Amino acid sequence: MDFELSQDHKVLQSAVRDFVEKEIKPIAMKIDEDHMIPDDLVTKMGEMGLLGSYLPEEYGGAGLDMLSYAIVVEEVSKACGSSGVLISAHTSLCSGPIYTFGTKEQKQKWLPALNTGEIIGCFLLTEPDAGSDAGGTATTYRREGDEFIINGSKTFITNGGYQGTGILLASYDRSLKHKGISAFIVDLKSPGVSILKNEKKLGIRGSYTTAFAFDDLRVPVENLLGQEGKGFNIAMDTLNGGRIGIASQALGIAGGAFERALAYSKERKQFGQPISEFQAIQFKLADMWTRIETSKLLTYKAACLKDAKRNYTMESAMCKMHASETATFVTKEALQIHGGYGYIADYEVERMFRDAKITEIYEGTNEVQRVVISKLLLS
């Protein structure tokens, strides 16, 4: 059992760190203040290969693996949680299911523009009443000739504001619950798609979180993803992989907050010495680092299991749950170490504290993760 990253992964990690230091870190606070990620940064991330890390080169991806993807999201999120979740949702929730369940023609049509970042993708599952309960999907579809007609609404859609490509879940018979759901690849600039609003949020303010309405949206039959009536299976598989991305984002936010707290504790002096000399601060740093390292082991293990094509359902739920709770804990302690300055927007831990909480909520709340884990244990 080897706990060291391979040389290739170390090179990737170093390259992403350099990119983040140069392109993202200097504008991370502005991204939060402006509630948007600059288009030129999205373009640069695409050129760097960060938006198609584990997708094959034949479709414009970087041809790396799932562990590489986790490292990318983690390193970006150390500076900017909003940029980290853009990559995560785009890659694992849109490009990923097209690659996994799409036909060769669908992959050739949709993946190249997604993998280069020319188009930003999203996953349209959550609804105002159903939440992330795919079985409670109220958005409906019917077939008319060579088209499907979709009506309904979606909310809390990460990356939705780009109006790029979306994977949309809809039901042809709500009485069938999860058995009546199908998945579709949709162009969100099509007639029949309306943005209701882009949400104003506590954290990850640079990330678009969008509510949509669909009024007789016409989708070509060839845009059906996978088999009709199998959308629930696609959703569950997609969310399973997506949790690795959220865990990586949380891991990065926690790591970034820890780095800043550690540096501050060495610089800040009280009673004639750096506060890092006080045992109370040392205990905080020890607890923070221990949780980060255990979260990293869980997250990297889940990514490696997915790469090995082994079952990773429990591991993805555990890493998402543990890493997100670690992010909340670590950013809170980082703020505490900064004292009153931690509450000031000029210090980055204030933003990271706000960014961390959402990782406990999306891709299924941590209560959902505990249900998944316990059911697997009991079975």
Side-chain angles (χ1 to χ4, degrees), residues 187-202:
D187 177 355
L188 292 172
K189 286 188 170 66
S190 302
V193 179
S194 300
I195 286 184
L196 300 178
K197 63 177 175 177
N198 285 309
E199 304 286 356
K200 302 287 186 181
K201 306 188 298 297
L202 171 72

Side-chain angles (χ1 to χ4, degrees), residues 89-141:
H90 169 87
T91 309
S92 64
L93 301 185
C94 185
S95 301
I98 292 174
Y99 178 67
T100 302
F101 297 100
T103 64
K104 184 176 181 180
E105 291 74 22
Q106 288 172 335
K107 294 175 189 178
Q108 291 172 336
K109 178 179 179 179
W110 299 98
L111 287 179
L114 286 166
N115 288 333
T116 58
E118 179 184 341
I119 294 175
I120 298 300
C122 62
F123 187 63
L124 297 122
L125 168 65
T126 305
E127 296 185 356
D129 293 327
S132 295
D133 173 19
T137 296
T139 298
T140 61
Y141 76 91

Side-chain angles (χ1 to χ4, degrees), residues 256-372:
F258 177 83
E259 289 174 1
R260 287 153 181 80
L262 180 65
Y264 183 84
S265 73
K266 295 177 181 179
E267 298 164 2
R268 175 67 169 169
K269 290 186 178 181
Q270 287 281 273
F271 307 104
Q273 60 184 338
I275 62 172
S276 60
E277 297 296 318
F278 296 112
Q279 196 174 67
I281 300 299
Q282 293 171 358
F283 283 4
K284 287 183 183 296
L285 293 171
D287 287 342
M288 293 158 75
W289 186 246
T290 300
R291 295 197 190 197
I292 288 170
E293 283 294 289
T294 53
S295 296
K296 182 175 293 187
L297 289 171
L298 282 168
T299 303
Y300 285 11
K301 179 182 178 181
C304 289
L305 287 173
K306 182 170 171 59
D307 281 331
K309 295 180 170 45
R310 293 172 56 188
N311 190 297
Y312 65 98
T313 301
M314 181 181 287
E315 285 76 10
S316 70
M318 288 194 298
C319 75
K320 190 272 182 188
M321 179 185 74
H322 195 277
S324 62
E325 292 178 359
T326 291
T328 300
F329 172 82
V330 169
T331 55
K332 179 176 72 71
E333 292 292 79
L335 193 152
Q336 194 74 16
I337 288 171
H338 279 73
Y341 290 109
Y343 210 68
I344 305 300
D346 290 344
Y347 287 78
E348 291 184 294
V349 293
E350 180 269 343
R351 167 172 51 84
M352 293 174 172
F353 177 71
R354 290 186 284 105
D355 286 351
K357 185 59 185 178
I358 189 61
T359 62
E360 292 189 67
I361 298 170
Y362 54 16
E363 298 300 315
T365 64
N366 282 358
E367 288 73 22
V368 171
Q369 311 314 316
R370 286 178 165 87
V371 169
V372 171

Side-chain angles (χ1 to χ4, degrees), residues 5 9-26 48 50 68 70-80 251-252 255-256 259-260 289 292-293 296 300:
L5 291 176
H9 288 118
K10 288 179 180 178
V11 169
L12 170 70
Q13 186 181 60
S14 177
V16 177
R17 282 178 179 172
D18 289 343
F19 175 83
V20 170
E21 194 70 24
K22 179 182 177 183
E23 302 290 349
I24 301 180
K25 191 174 180 180
M48 184 74 179
L50 305 186
S68 299
I71 291 169
V72 165
V73 175
E74 176 190 358
E75 293 300 326
V76 170
S77 299
K78 283 181 180 178
C80 178
L251 184 58
E259 289 174 1
R260 287 153 181 80
W289 186 246
I292 288 170
E293 283 294 289
K296 182 175 293 187
Y300 285 11

